[in-house]
Amino acid sequence: MGMGNGAPIDSDAIDESVEQVRRQLGDGVVDVRFRYGKGQPFTRRDGADVRAARVTVTPGIHERGGYFDIQWWENGDYKYHYREAGLEFRFGREAANEATPKPVRHFHPPRDLDAHRRSRIGIERPPELVTIAVLKTWWTAVENGDETLVNAQDGLP
């Protein structure tokens, strides 16, 4: 069935994740936009329930900046998809993977987004802690200019 496994989007969890990114990165958050329907553009917040958030950040791992697309579902599934020019990776939790050999908490590494590797993020909730863990592993890669360090740490968060 895929991300969310049929569960509704969790707008509150998306908002909590965005606020945690703001707390962690401060001025490193360049812009925040929201998507209200599948396939719609990201726009400013209008108070309605959101489907996804796009948080533009600086610096990037190899570029001046990049962005995270963040989604949460009410069943606890989530997706943090990072992109900058020439680089992307994703962290996710997908309950539908329980019936497959793919890990429920997984990581799609740079240069191989079809791969489902075990995520080093050891928790599933609350959204604030998952966000801290994603940012911690991303920031290690930023500080070292090395995307191979994403998902390389133990004990996240």
Side-chain angles (χ1 to χ4, degrees):
M1 182 164 264
M3 296 299 292
N5 208 19
I9 291 288
D10 189 339
S11 290
D12 290 339
I14 293 168
D15 286 337
E16 291 165 18
S17 298
V18 168
E19 289 310 308
Q20 187 61 46
V21 174
R22 284 183 167 131
R23 283 191 293 275
Q24 292 292 120
L25 299 182
D27 291 340
V29 174
V30 176
D31 190 32
V32 178
R33 302 279 176 137
F34 298 91
R35 175 179 283 160
Y36 294 93
K38 191 171 186 173
Q40 292 183 355
F42 285 89
T43 61
R44 296 274 178 218
R45 186 79 158 137
D46 73 2
D49 284 343
V50 298
R51 180 171 182 81
R54 175 166 289 172
V55 182
T56 304
V57 297
T58 189
I61 296 171
H62 299 298
E63 300 294 329
R64 294 180 67 201
Y67 62 88
F68 286 96
D69 285 343
I70 301 170
Q71 288 183 285
W72 278 84
W73 287 264
E74 289 184 4
N75 71 338
D77 281 3
Y78 60 78
K79 178 171 60 174
Y80 289 75
H81 191 157
Y82 178 79
R83 292 180 179 100
E84 65 181 53
L87 175 68
E88 63 182 295
F89 62 84
R90 288 193 311 268
F91 282 95
R93 180 197 181 275
E94 194 169 349
N97 285 350
E98 289 175 350
T100 75
K102 297 174 184 173
V104 171
R105 287 188 322 274
H106 57 275
F107 171 67
H108 300 273
R111 321 251 185 264
D112 191 6
L113 290 176
D114 291 331
H116 284 71
R117 302 221 173 109
R118 184 182 63 82
S119 173
R120 301 285 183 134
I121 297 173
I123 50 113
E124 297 179 358
R125 286 240 181 226
E128 294 91 346
L129 288 181
V130 173
T131 303
I132 289 169
V134 169
L135 292 176
K136 182 177 179 181
T137 191
W138 165 78
W139 188 251
T140 299
V142 168
E143 287 183 313
N144 292 280
D146 183 357
E147 77 267 10
T148 66
L149 297 177
V150 177
N151 199 47
Q153 302 84 13
D154 289 320
L156 296 170

